[in-house]
Amino acid sequence: MTGRVVVIGVGNPFRRDDGVGPAVVEALRRRVPDGTVLAVSDGEPSRMLDLWHGADTVVVVEAVRTHPARPGRLHTLSVAEAAAHATRPASTHALGLGECLALGEILDRLPRELVVHAVETSDIELGTGLSDPVRSALPELIDRVAASVRKAHGRDR
């Protein structure tokens, strides 16, 4: 085990709420222990697998669509829970985390621990800036991700 912790903010800041993953990564730059890898990804499965290669713990931050939608509602999922939800499209990307998890399992490239922090979106149209519900949820989302990182490093406080 490497003890390597990777946080991946999935999304596109030019698609409004889809930019929440990159926004969380930026906010974490001074809030996580040294040695934590902070990365942004478009969610393409092979790039995701490359980012988390060799990591013991991966924390993914993602925008999701749900029906019925409750924009701003937060979700925290284990890898098993994320895989169970992968059968229905939820990601705001063409290929979602479900495909990435399936590929990782086939290739035996899943990290020892993977946590997904997601927020339900309101607007993923072209443009910049988060919608009011997602912007309001952002501080709590950042806190949850930071807590997952501290836990992975053995620093639960």
Side-chain angles (χ1 to χ4, degrees), residues 6-36:
V6 177
V7 178
I8 304 171
V10 180
N12 179 346
F14 300 105
R15 298 279 315 260
R16 307 258 311 150
D17 288 347
D18 193 41
V20 73
V24 169
V25 165
E26 187 57 37
L28 289 174
R29 295 217 183 267
R30 292 187 183 95
R31 291 189 59 179
V32 295
D34 290 342
T36 303

PDB file of all heavy atoms in Angstrom, residues 6-36:
ATOM      1  N   VAL A   6      -5.885  10.406  -3.768  1.00  0.00           N
ATOM      2  CA  VAL A   6      -6.145  11.198  -4.968  1.00  0.00           C
ATOM      3  C   VAL A   6      -7.574  11.726  -4.911  1.00  0.00           C
ATOM      4  O   VAL A   6      -8.511  10.960  -4.666  1.00  0.00           O
ATOM      5  CB  VAL A   6      -5.958  10.354  -6.253  1.00  0.00           C
ATOM      6  CG1 VAL A   6      -6.307  11.162  -7.496  1.00  0.00           C
ATOM      7  CG2 VAL A   6      -4.539   9.811  -6.335  1.00  0.00           C
ATOM      8  N   VAL A   7      -7.731  13.018  -5.139  1.00  0.00           N
ATOM      9  CA  VAL A   7      -9.054  13.636  -5.264  1.00  0.00           C
ATOM     10  C   VAL A   7      -9.212  14.045  -6.722  1.00  0.00           C
ATOM     11  O   VAL A   7      -8.362  14.754  -7.269  1.00  0.00           O
ATOM     12  CB  VAL A   7      -9.202  14.878  -4.361  1.00  0.00           C
ATOM     13  CG1 VAL A   7     -10.576  15.527  -4.560  1.00  0.00           C
ATOM     14  CG2 VAL A   7      -8.973  14.515  -2.900  1.00  0.00           C
ATOM     15  N   ILE A   8     -10.302  13.590  -7.341  1.00  0.00           N
ATOM     16  CA  ILE A   8     -10.557  13.919  -8.743  1.00  0.00           C
ATOM     17  C   ILE A   8     -11.869  14.693  -8.829  1.00  0.00           C
ATOM     18  O   ILE A   8     -12.934  14.176  -8.494  1.00  0.00           O
ATOM     19  CB  ILE A   8     -10.644  12.652  -9.617  1.00  0.00           C
ATOM     20  CG1 ILE A   8      -9.374  11.818  -9.485  1.00  0.00           C
ATOM     21  CG2 ILE A   8     -10.899  13.043 -11.080  1.00  0.00           C
ATOM     22  CD1 ILE A   8      -9.456  10.454 -10.148  1.00  0.00           C
ATOM     23  N   GLY A   9     -11.771  15.924  -9.269  1.00  0.00           N
ATOM     24  CA  GLY A   9     -12.950  16.739  -9.528  1.00  0.00           C
ATOM     25  C   GLY A   9     -13.346  16.558 -10.984  1.00  0.00           C
ATOM     26  O   GLY A   9     -12.630  16.995 -11.883  1.00  0.00           O
ATOM     27  N   VAL A  10     -14.447  15.873 -11.196  1.00  0.00           N
ATOM     28  CA  VAL A  10     -14.895  15.568 -12.549  1.00  0.00           C
ATOM     29  C   VAL A  10     -15.830  16.669 -13.019  1.00  0.00           C
ATOM     30  O   VAL A  10     -16.765  17.046 -12.303  1.00  0.00           O
ATOM     31  CB  VAL A  10     -15.614  14.202 -12.593  1.00  0.00           C
ATOM     32  CG1 VAL A  10     -16.093  13.886 -14.001  1.00  0.00           C
ATOM     33  CG2 VAL A  10     -14.701  13.101 -12.071  1.00  0.00           C
ATOM     34  N   GLY A  11     -15.595  17.158 -14.235  1.00  0.00           N
ATOM     35  CA  GLY A  11     -16.526  18.135 -14.765  1.00  0.00           C
ATOM     36  C   GLY A  11     -15.908  19.127 -15.720  1.00  0.00           C
ATOM     37  O   GLY A  11     -14.717  19.102 -16.001  1.00  0.00           O
ATOM     38  N   ASN A  12     -16.779  20.007 -16.178  1.00  0.00           N
ATOM     39  CA  ASN A  12     -16.420  21.021 -17.151  1.00  0.00           C
ATOM     40  C   ASN A  12     -16.937  22.371 -16.641  1.00  0.00           C
ATOM     41  O   ASN A  12     -18.151  22.593 -16.591  1.00  0.00           O
ATOM     42  CB  ASN A  12     -17.055  20.684 -18.504  1.00  0.00           C
ATOM     43  CG  ASN A  12     -16.754  21.687 -19.580  1.00  0.00           C
ATOM     44  OD1 ASN A  12     -16.288  22.789 -19.325  1.00  0.00           O
ATOM     45  ND2 ASN A  12     -17.041  21.312 -20.807  1.00  0.00           N
ATOM     46  N   PRO A  13     -16.039  23.280 -16.252  1.00  0.00           N
ATOM     47  CA  PRO A  13     -16.486  24.560 -15.715  1.00  0.00           C
ATOM     48  C   PRO A  13     -17.213  25.446 -16.721  1.00  0.00           C
ATOM     49  O   PRO A  13     -17.773  26.475 -16.343  1.00  0.00           O
ATOM     50  CB  PRO A  13     -15.189  25.222 -15.233  1.00  0.00           C
ATOM     51  CG  PRO A  13     -14.089  24.499 -15.898  1.00  0.00           C
ATOM     52  CD  PRO A  13     -14.589  23.135 -16.258  1.00  0.00           C
ATOM     53  N   PHE A  14     -17.223  25.061 -17.995  1.00  0.00           N
ATOM     54  CA  PHE A  14     -17.952  25.820 -19.013  1.00  0.00           C
ATOM     55  C   PHE A  14     -19.327  25.239 -19.292  1.00  0.00           C
ATOM     56  O   PHE A  14     -19.960  25.572 -20.289  1.00  0.00           O
ATOM     57  CB  PHE A  14     -17.109  25.911 -20.295  1.00  0.00           C
ATOM     58  CG  PHE A  14     -15.801  26.599 -20.062  1.00  0.00           C
ATOM     59  CD1 PHE A  14     -14.632  25.871 -19.997  1.00  0.00           C
ATOM     60  CD2 PHE A  14     -15.752  27.965 -19.846  1.00  0.00           C
ATOM     61  CE1 PHE A  14     -13.416  26.498 -19.748  1.00  0.00           C
ATOM     62  CE2 PHE A  14     -14.548  28.601 -19.585  1.00  0.00           C
ATOM     63  CZ  PHE A  14     -13.383  27.869 -19.534  1.00  0.00           C
ATOM     64  N   ARG A  15     -19.783  24.346 -18.389  1.00  0.00           N
ATOM     65  CA  ARG A  15     -21.132  23.775 -18.455  1.00  0.00           C
ATOM     66  C   ARG A  15     -21.834  23.989 -17.111  1.00  0.00           C
ATOM     67  O   ARG A  15     -22.388  23.086 -16.526  1.00  0.00           O
ATOM     68  CB  ARG A  15     -21.071  22.270 -18.785  1.00  0.00           C
ATOM     69  CG  ARG A  15     -20.466  21.892 -20.118  1.00  0.00           C
ATOM     70  CD  ARG A  15     -21.390  22.019 -21.314  1.00  0.00           C
ATOM     71  NE  ARG A  15     -22.719  21.500 -21.114  1.00  0.00           N
ATOM     72  CZ  ARG A  15     -23.147  20.320 -21.524  1.00  0.00           C
ATOM     73  NH1 ARG A  15     -22.359  19.502 -22.154  1.00  0.00           N
ATOM     74  NH2 ARG A  15     -24.387  19.961 -21.313  1.00  0.00           N
ATOM     75  N   ARG A  16     -21.754  25.194 -16.608  1.00  0.00           N
ATOM     76  CA  ARG A  16     -22.402  25.646 -15.374  1.00  0.00           C
ATOM     77  C   ARG A  16     -22.195  24.680 -14.197  1.00  0.00           C
ATOM     78  O   ARG A  16     -21.079  24.529 -13.745  1.00  0.00           O
ATOM     79  CB  ARG A  16     -23.875  25.943 -15.626  1.00  0.00           C
ATOM     80  CG  ARG A  16     -24.121  26.894 -16.777  1.00  0.00           C
ATOM     81  CD  ARG A  16     -24.433  28.286 -16.425  1.00  0.00           C
ATOM     82  NE  ARG A  16     -25.469  28.349 -15.406  1.00  0.00           N
ATOM     83  CZ  ARG A  16     -25.530  29.330 -14.540  1.00  0.00           C
ATOM     84  NH1 ARG A  16     -24.677  30.309 -14.585  1.00  0.00           N
ATOM     85  NH2 ARG A  16     -26.468  29.350 -13.630  1.00  0.00           N
ATOM     86  N   ASP A  17     -23.241  23.986 -13.730  1.00  0.00           N
ATOM     87  CA  ASP A  17     -23.120  23.132 -12.540  1.00  0.00           C
ATOM     88  C   ASP A  17     -22.155  21.968 -12.729  1.00  0.00           C
ATOM     89  O   ASP A  17     -21.653  21.417 -11.752  1.00  0.00           O
ATOM     90  CB  ASP A  17     -24.488  22.583 -12.124  1.00  0.00           C
ATOM     91  CG  ASP A  17     -25.391  23.636 -11.522  1.00  0.00           C
ATOM     92  OD1 ASP A  17     -24.898  24.739 -11.181  1.00  0.00           O
ATOM     93  OD2 ASP A  17     -26.601  23.367 -11.400  1.00  0.00           O
ATOM     94  N   ASP A  18     -21.880  21.609 -13.967  1.00  0.00           N
ATOM     95  CA  ASP A  18     -20.918  20.541 -14.217  1.00  0.00           C
ATOM     96  C   ASP A  18     -19.518  20.949 -13.750  1.00  0.00           C
ATOM     97  O   ASP A  18     -18.644  20.106 -13.583  1.00  0.00           O
ATOM     98  CB  ASP A  18     -20.906  20.172 -15.706  1.00  0.00           C
ATOM     99  CG  ASP A  18     -20.176  18.868 -15.972  1.00  0.00           C
ATOM    100  OD1 ASP A  18     -20.359  17.912 -15.181  1.00  0.00           O
ATOM    101  OD2 ASP A  18     -19.427  18.804 -16.956  1.00  0.00           O
ATOM    102  N   GLY A  19     -19.313  22.213 -13.482  1.00  0.00           N
ATOM    103  CA  GLY A  19     -18.031  22.698 -12.990  1.00  0.00           C
ATOM    104  C   GLY A  19     -17.828  22.549 -11.496  1.00  0.00           C
ATOM    105  O   GLY A  19     -16.806  22.981 -10.963  1.00  0.00           O
ATOM    106  N   VAL A  20     -18.748  21.899 -10.805  1.00  0.00           N
ATOM    107  CA  VAL A  20     -18.635  21.791  -9.351  1.00  0.00           C
ATOM    108  C   VAL A  20     -17.434  20.943  -8.933  1.00  0.00           C
ATOM    109  O   VAL A  20     -16.760  21.267  -7.951  1.00  0.00           O
ATOM    110  CB  VAL A  20     -19.950  21.285  -8.705  1.00  0.00           C
ATOM    111  CG1 VAL A  20     -20.182  19.809  -8.963  1.00  0.00           C
ATOM    112  CG2 VAL A  20     -19.978  21.602  -7.219  1.00  0.00           C
ATOM    113  N   GLY A  21     -17.110  19.880  -9.661  1.00  0.00           N
ATOM    114  CA  GLY A  21     -15.948  19.059  -9.315  1.00  0.00           C
ATOM    115  C   GLY A  21     -14.657  19.854  -9.354  1.00  0.00           C
ATOM    116  O   GLY A  21     -13.901  19.887  -8.372  1.00  0.00           O
ATOM    117  N   PRO A  22     -14.377  20.538 -10.476  1.00  0.00           N
ATOM    118  CA  PRO A  22     -13.190  21.391 -10.515  1.00  0.00           C
ATOM    119  C   PRO A  22     -13.205  22.500  -9.449  1.00  0.00           C
ATOM    120  O   PRO A  22     -12.155  22.834  -8.894  1.00  0.00           O
ATOM    121  CB  PRO A  22     -13.221  21.979 -11.931  1.00  0.00           C
ATOM    122  CG  PRO A  22     -13.926  20.928 -12.738  1.00  0.00           C
ATOM    123  CD  PRO A  22     -14.984  20.388 -11.807  1.00  0.00           C
ATOM    124  N   ALA A  23     -14.371  23.053  -9.132  1.00  0.00           N
ATOM    125  CA  ALA A  23     -14.459  24.099  -8.109  1.00  0.00           C
ATOM    126  C   ALA A  23     -14.059  23.558  -6.736  1.00  0.00           C
ATOM    127  O   ALA A  23     -13.370  24.233  -5.966  1.00  0.00           O
ATOM    128  CB  ALA A  23     -15.868  24.681  -8.062  1.00  0.00           C
ATOM    129  N   VAL A  24     -14.475  22.333  -6.433  1.00  0.00           N
ATOM    130  CA  VAL A  24     -14.114  21.720  -5.148  1.00  0.00           C
ATOM    131  C   VAL A  24     -12.609  21.480  -5.088  1.00  0.00           C
ATOM    132  O   VAL A  24     -11.970  21.775  -4.070  1.00  0.00           O
ATOM    133  CB  VAL A  24     -14.901  20.411  -4.913  1.00  0.00           C
ATOM    134  CG1 VAL A  24     -14.343  19.638  -3.730  1.00  0.00           C
ATOM    135  CG2 VAL A  24     -16.382  20.713  -4.695  1.00  0.00           C
ATOM    136  N   VAL A  25     -12.027  20.974  -6.159  1.00  0.00           N
ATOM    137  CA  VAL A  25     -10.573  20.735  -6.183  1.00  0.00           C
ATOM    138  C   VAL A  25      -9.830  22.040  -5.926  1.00  0.00           C
ATOM    139  O   VAL A  25      -8.885  22.084  -5.125  1.00  0.00           O
ATOM    140  CB  VAL A  25     -10.140  20.079  -7.514  1.00  0.00           C
ATOM    141  CG1 VAL A  25      -8.637  20.168  -7.721  1.00  0.00           C
ATOM    142  CG2 VAL A  25     -10.603  18.634  -7.558  1.00  0.00           C
ATOM    143  N   GLU A  26     -10.241  23.103  -6.559  1.00  0.00           N
ATOM    144  CA  GLU A  26      -9.575  24.402  -6.353  1.00  0.00           C
ATOM    145  C   GLU A  26      -9.695  24.855  -4.897  1.00  0.00           C
ATOM    146  O   GLU A  26      -8.731  25.336  -4.312  1.00  0.00           O
ATOM    147  CB  GLU A  26     -10.158  25.455  -7.298  1.00  0.00           C
ATOM    148  CG  GLU A  26      -9.421  26.768  -7.276  1.00  0.00           C
ATOM    149  CD  GLU A  26      -7.935  26.639  -7.610  1.00  0.00           C
ATOM    150  OE1 GLU A  26      -7.566  25.814  -8.468  1.00  0.00           O
ATOM    151  OE2 GLU A  26      -7.139  27.376  -6.994  1.00  0.00           O
ATOM    152  N   ALA A  27     -10.871  24.661  -4.310  1.00  0.00           N
ATOM    153  CA  ALA A  27     -11.087  25.079  -2.922  1.00  0.00           C
ATOM    154  C   ALA A  27     -10.272  24.254  -1.926  1.00  0.00           C
ATOM    155  O   ALA A  27      -9.962  24.727  -0.828  1.00  0.00           O
ATOM    156  CB  ALA A  27     -12.576  24.978  -2.580  1.00  0.00           C
ATOM    157  N   LEU A  28      -9.918  23.035  -2.303  1.00  0.00           N
ATOM    158  CA  LEU A  28      -9.186  22.147  -1.399  1.00  0.00           C
ATOM    159  C   LEU A  28      -7.687  22.410  -1.371  1.00  0.00           C
ATOM    160  O   LEU A  28      -6.986  21.869  -0.519  1.00  0.00           O
ATOM    161  CB  LEU A  28      -9.409  20.689  -1.799  1.00  0.00           C
ATOM    162  CG  LEU A  28     -10.786  20.126  -1.535  1.00  0.00           C
ATOM    163  CD1 LEU A  28     -10.894  18.727  -2.109  1.00  0.00           C
ATOM    164  CD2 LEU A  28     -11.093  20.113  -0.048  1.00  0.00           C
ATOM    165  N   ARG A  29      -7.171  23.196  -2.264  1.00  0.00           N
ATOM    166  CA  ARG A  29      -5.716  23.356  -2.411  1.00  0.00           C
ATOM    167  C   ARG A  29      -4.999  23.681  -1.102  1.00  0.00           C
ATOM    168  O   ARG A  29      -3.882  23.263  -0.910  1.00  0.00           O
ATOM    169  CB  ARG A  29      -5.394  24.389  -3.475  1.00  0.00           C
ATOM    170  CG  ARG A  29      -5.854  23.906  -4.851  1.00  0.00           C
ATOM    171  CD  ARG A  29      -4.931  24.286  -5.951  1.00  0.00           C
ATOM    172  NE  ARG A  29      -5.487  23.833  -7.225  1.00  0.00           N
ATOM    173  CZ  ARG A  29      -5.188  22.653  -7.779  1.00  0.00           C
ATOM    174  NH1 ARG A  29      -4.350  21.853  -7.202  1.00  0.00           N
ATOM    175  NH2 ARG A  29      -5.745  22.295  -8.920  1.00  0.00           N
ATOM    176  N   ARG A  30      -5.617  24.393  -0.196  1.00  0.00           N
ATOM    177  CA  ARG A  30      -4.972  24.733   1.083  1.00  0.00           C
ATOM    178  C   ARG A  30      -5.613  24.011   2.263  1.00  0.00           C
ATOM    179  O   ARG A  30      -5.288  24.314   3.411  1.00  0.00           O
ATOM    180  CB  ARG A  30      -5.043  26.244   1.305  1.00  0.00           C
ATOM    181  CG  ARG A  30      -4.186  27.005   0.310  1.00  0.00           C
ATOM    182  CD  ARG A  30      -4.138  28.486   0.641  1.00  0.00           C
ATOM    183  NE  ARG A  30      -3.366  29.189  -0.360  1.00  0.00           N
ATOM    184  CZ  ARG A  30      -3.882  29.804  -1.415  1.00  0.00           C
ATOM    185  NH1 ARG A  30      -5.179  29.801  -1.604  1.00  0.00           N
ATOM    186  NH2 ARG A  30      -3.103  30.420  -2.278  1.00  0.00           N
ATOM    187  N   ARG A  31      -6.498  23.057   1.983  1.00  0.00           N
ATOM    188  CA  ARG A  31      -7.232  22.414   3.070  1.00  0.00           C
ATOM    189  C   ARG A  31      -6.911  20.943   3.266  1.00  0.00           C
ATOM    190  O   ARG A  31      -7.489  20.321   4.151  1.00  0.00           O
ATOM    191  CB  ARG A  31      -8.736  22.536   2.816  1.00  0.00           C
ATOM    192  CG  ARG A  31      -9.241  23.945   2.946  1.00  0.00           C
ATOM    193  CD  ARG A  31     -10.733  24.003   2.919  1.00  0.00           C
ATOM    194  NE  ARG A  31     -11.319  23.216   3.978  1.00  0.00           N
ATOM    195  CZ  ARG A  31     -12.620  23.122   4.182  1.00  0.00           C
ATOM    196  NH1 ARG A  31     -13.463  23.744   3.411  1.00  0.00           N
ATOM    197  NH2 ARG A  31     -13.089  22.387   5.156  1.00  0.00           N
ATOM    198  N   VAL A  32      -6.060  20.373   2.436  1.00  0.00           N
ATOM    199  CA  VAL A  32      -5.775  18.942   2.553  1.00  0.00           C
ATOM    200  C   VAL A  32      -4.307  18.727   2.905  1.00  0.00           C
ATOM    201  O   VAL A  32      -3.468  19.576   2.634  1.00  0.00           O
ATOM    202  CB  VAL A  32      -6.137  18.181   1.249  1.00  0.00           C
ATOM    203  CG1 VAL A  32      -7.641  18.233   0.995  1.00  0.00           C
ATOM    204  CG2 VAL A  32      -5.378  18.720   0.055  1.00  0.00           C
ATOM    205  N   PRO A  33      -4.005  17.581   3.516  1.00  0.00           N
ATOM    206  CA  PRO A  33      -2.614  17.303   3.890  1.00  0.00           C
ATOM    207  C   PRO A  33      -1.680  17.271   2.681  1.00  0.00           C
ATOM    208  O   PRO A  33      -2.091  16.919   1.562  1.00  0.00           O
ATOM    209  CB  PRO A  33      -2.698  15.913   4.528  1.00  0.00           C
ATOM    210  CG  PRO A  33      -4.117  15.772   4.973  1.00  0.00           C
ATOM    211  CD  PRO A  33      -4.931  16.536   3.968  1.00  0.00           C
ATOM    212  N   ASP A  34      -0.426  17.622   2.930  1.00  0.00           N
ATOM    213  CA  ASP A  34       0.596  17.520   1.888  1.00  0.00           C
ATOM    214  C   ASP A  34       0.630  16.098   1.357  1.00  0.00           C
ATOM    215  O   ASP A  34       0.424  15.140   2.096  1.00  0.00           O
ATOM    216  CB  ASP A  34       1.973  17.890   2.448  1.00  0.00           C
ATOM    217  CG  ASP A  34       2.100  19.363   2.754  1.00  0.00           C
ATOM    218  OD1 ASP A  34       1.286  20.157   2.236  1.00  0.00           O
ATOM    219  OD2 ASP A  34       3.014  19.721   3.520  1.00  0.00           O
ATOM    220  N   GLY A  35       0.899  15.972   0.085  1.00  0.00           N
ATOM    221  CA  GLY A  35       0.966  14.657  -0.541  1.00  0.00           C
ATOM    222  C   GLY A  35      -0.344  14.218  -1.169  1.00  0.00           C
ATOM    223  O   GLY A  35      -0.370  13.245  -1.915  1.00  0.00           O
ATOM    224  N   THR A  36      -1.428  14.918  -0.869  1.00  0.00           N
ATOM    225  CA  THR A  36      -2.704  14.604  -1.505  1.00  0.00           C
ATOM    226  C   THR A  36      -2.643  15.074  -2.951  1.00  0.00           C
ATOM    227  O   THR A  36      -2.254  16.210  -3.225  1.00  0.00           O
ATOM    228  CB  THR A  36      -3.873  15.321  -0.787  1.00  0.00           C
ATOM    229  OG1 THR A  36      -3.873  14.951   0.588  1.00  0.00           O
ATOM    230  CG2 THR A  36      -5.207  14.966  -1.424  1.00  0.00           C
TER     231      THR A  36
END
